[in-house]
Structures are given as structure tokens and as C-alpha cells.
Amino acid sequence: MQRCSDKWPTKALKRHEYFPYRDMKMKDYSLEPIGFIRSKIKKRKDAPSFYTEGAPNAVLEVKSKYTEGLSQMKVGDEIIIITWLHRAYRDVLKVHPRGDTTRPLTGVFLTRSPDRPNPLGLHRAKILAINANNVSIGPIEAIDGTPVVDIKPVVEHSNDF
Amino acid sequence: MQRCSDKWPTKALKRHEYFPYRDMKMKDYSLEPIGFIRSKIKKRKDAPSFYTEGAPNAVLEVKSKYTEGLSQMKVGDEIIIITWLHRAYRDVLKVHPRGDTTRPLTGVFLTRSPDRPNPLGLHRAKILAINANNVSIGPIEAIDGTPVVDIKPVVEHSNDF
């Protein structure tokens, strides 16, 4: 389906058009991976804490049903990748940042710890090559097999993300 | 549960310790809101496209079971909020950016359109006040009632997100 606007439609719509997912259990907050990371990092203990700390390049293998969503992507683009950190603990609410026990226990929402109630990872990377549904990106600290749930552009005029 | 590290534990663990969620359907990719946005923006059509475009301040009401995750949060901190865009269409793969039909149809992964396979929103905001589980933040373009699924710190040394 294509829509001509990324804004909510302003013309009057029937109620079932406003809530197309009402019957699809939108309340379930259920994600579907759009692809997976293929990396030489195989284990969580080998992953750097952040992409600026020696992370390698990797391949983002996008499922063929979603490749249309990559339309207009160019080599050199900066993107933000949202991953599902499949090896994380979801019952953790406080950690010592970076495992440094001299730092006070800190709420996970103030850290980039993978252990958190909803194990979403945020990664900024550059597009290095595009071959159909295989997108070379880097650097990225995600481990091999990490599910990818979304890709967004870096919005340059905001000077941050 | 508290852990002393945000790194994968290096000591040998039994298999069931490595995969604590194996029996909790980790493969389900299911999110649970940690809170909700309370905003004066009530409808999607009234929301600006980006927080830099006149978005108001709002309150992030964190569920009491997750308030421990806010420990050490301070007024003035910059955070990234990941939301579940509950009014989005999930079957859209291409849009005209910003609804401008003079711009070519573009893959949603190259836009910030709320319409996308996994309707996750990314918002940068500043902490304005903290009253127990009610965190005043802003500016933010999310509409009233938007579920929040994660909060992360802006990592200053990365100069982006």
C-alpha cells in the first residue's frame, strides 16, 4: 500500500479506516523483524559497548517483503537502526554503568545497557553498499543474528538524531 | 533484579541462565509500555512532523513498576524516547516525504513517517521536572496517550544520538 502523505489524512474517513489495525490486535505491541544483522561478532561478550569503540562493519539483511521500504537509499546515507537485543535480560532496572562498580547503580533508562524492560537497541551507522536486500553498514556493535525492527534516517537539521 | 554490569557476564553460566527468556517467548518480540505520553496534542493531524517544529512540552507518566529505572535521572538531562505510534498504518512501505507529492515516493525507512512496518517513534527531549513517576519533558510531537516503550540517554561523546 502506498500513501501520499506521512500526515494523518485530513479528509473525513470512516471509523474502520481510522483504525485499520483494530482487528489486528494493535494493542499487542508486537514487532516483526524486518531483517537481521550479519556480523563477525558472534557473542555478546565480544561486542563493544558502543559503535564508536572499535565496532566492525556488518551486513543488514532485509527481508524481501520489506525491500521496497529501502527505496531511494543511497551509499553514504547515515541511518539509525533499531534492533531487538535478543540476548538481553528484561527484568533489570538498575545497573552500574559500563559494569564499573565504582559508579552508582543507575536506572537502565539512563544507560545504554542492553538489559532493560523492552530490549531495543539504537545504532547509528553509515550505508557502505547496497546489493538488493543486503545493505552493508558500519560501524555497528550488534552481534550476529540480531533482529532489526526499524530503520530511520538521521535528520541532519536537528543536529542530533 | 539488579546486575553489576551492562556487559554479558564473562563467568561460565548454565545454559538456562544464559537464556532466561527462552521459556518466556523471547521470540515473540512483544513490547510492554513502560508509560504513556500526556500531551495537549489530542489528534494526529495536530501533531507537528518533528519536535523542532513547534512541539509542546508534555508529561511522560511512567508506570510505577518501572520508576526504579529512572534512578539518577536529573532535570536538564537530554533523553531519547522510543514510542509506539499507536495511530500509525503498518502496511505502508513508501511515502512522499512530508506529504509533499512533488517529492518522489521514498521508502519509509528513509523517512520519519509514523506509517511503517513497526510503528516505533524516536524523540529527543529534555527533562524539565521529575515528580515521582511523572516526568515533564519537551518539546515532543507525540500525541496524548502515545505508549512509551523505552528511554535512553543521549550519548554526548558520540555527537549525534
Side-chain angles (χ1 to χ4, degrees):
Chain A
M1 175 183 161
Q2 292 177 351
R3 290 211 312 132
C4 293
S5 169
D6 58 358
K7 299 282 282 184
W8 192 239
T10 47
K11 72 184 173 75
L13 292 179
K14 290 175 190 149
R15 185 172 167 81
H16 75 275
E17 292 179 300
Y18 265 116
F19 300 99
Y21 291 95
R22 198 176 40 171
D23 299 330
M24 295 174 70
K25 298 183 181 172
M26 185 70 164
K27 291 282 183 198
D28 279 356
Y29 308 109
S30 184
L31 300 168
E32 188 196 334
I34 61 158
F36 295 89
I37 297 290
R38 303 300 173 203
S39 172
K40 66 182 180 187
I41 306 175
K42 303 298 180 192
K43 295 179 177 176
R44 180 173 149 161
K45 71 178 172 60
D46 297 328
S49 292
F50 206 62
Y51 77 103
T52 51
E53 300 170 15
N57 296 330
V59 170
L60 197 177
E61 188 180 305
V62 177
K63 289 181 184 174
S64 55
K65 65 190 271 198
Y66 294 120
T67 48
E68 211 185 339
L70 303 176
S71 181
Q72 311 286 337
M73 183 177 272
K74 298 185 306 296
V75 171
D77 284 354
E78 299 259 0
I79 56 169
I80 294 170
I81 298 156
I82 305 180
T83 55
W84 179 267
L85 302 166
H86 59 309
R87 293 296 175 86
Y89 295 91
R90 299 186 68 171
D91 55 357
V92 177
L93 287 176
K94 285 183 178 180
V95 294
H96 291 290
R98 302 183 65 85
D100 178 352
T101 53
T102 66
R103 296 173 69 175
L105 276 169
T106 302
V108 290
F109 301 135
L110 280 299
T111 80
R112 291 295 185 110
S113 170
D115 301 314
R116 52 205 312 119
N118 291 308
L120 297 173
L122 210 52
H123 316 263
R124 180 173 176 154
K126 187 172 278 195
I127 308 288
L128 306 174
I130 305 167
N131 295 301
N133 63 329
N134 287 300
V135 183
S136 296
I137 54 168
I140 185 164
E141 74 279 18
I143 67 174
D144 189 57
T146 300
V148 172
V149 294
D150 203 6
I151 304 169
K152 295 182 189 293
V154 172
V155 179
E156 294 297 349
H157 73 264
S158 76
N159 198 31
D160 44 53
F161 71 113
Chain B
M1 176 182 160
Q2 292 176 352
R3 291 211 311 130
C4 293
S5 170
D6 58 357
K7 299 282 283 185
W8 192 240
T10 49
K11 71 183 174 76
L13 292 179
K14 291 177 189 149
R15 184 172 168 80
H16 75 273
E17 293 179 299
Y18 265 116
F19 299 100
Y21 290 95
R22 198 177 41 172
D23 299 328
M24 294 175 71
K25 298 184 180 171
M26 186 69 164
K27 291 283 184 198
D28 279 357
Y29 308 108
S30 184
L31 300 169
E32 188 196 334
I34 60 158
F36 294 89
I37 297 290
R38 304 300 173 204
S39 172
K40 66 183 181 187
I41 307 175
K42 304 298 180 192
K43 295 179 178 177
R44 180 173 149 160
K45 70 178 173 60
D46 297 327
S49 291
F50 205 61
Y51 78 104
T52 50
E53 299 170 15
N57 296 332
V59 171
L60 197 177
E61 190 181 304
V62 176
K63 289 181 184 173
S64 55
K65 65 189 270 200
Y66 294 120
T67 48
E68 213 186 338
L70 304 176
S71 180
Q72 311 286 337
M73 184 177 271
K74 299 185 306 297
V75 171
D77 283 353
E78 300 259 359
I79 56 170
I80 294 170
I81 298 156
I82 305 181
T83 55
W84 179 267
L85 301 166
H86 59 308
R87 293 295 175 87
Y89 295 91
R90 298 186 68 171
D91 55 355
V92 178
L93 286 176
K94 285 182 178 180
V95 294
H96 290 289
R98 303 183 65 84
D100 178 353
T101 53
T102 66
R103 296 174 69 177
L105 275 170
T106 301
V108 288
F109 301 134
L110 279 301
T111 81
R112 291 293 184 111
S113 169
D115 301 315
R116 52 204 314 116
N118 292 308
L120 297 173
L122 210 52
H123 316 263
R124 180 173 176 155
K126 187 173 280 196
I127 307 288
L128 306 173
I130 306 168
N131 295 301
N133 64 328
N134 288 300
V135 183
S136 296
I137 54 168
I140 185 165
E141 74 279 20
I143 68 173
D144 189 56
T146 300
V148 172
V149 295
D150 203 5
I151 305 169
K152 294 181 190 293
V154 172
V155 179
E156 292 298 349
H157 72 264
S158 77
N159 198 32
D160 43 55
F161 72 112

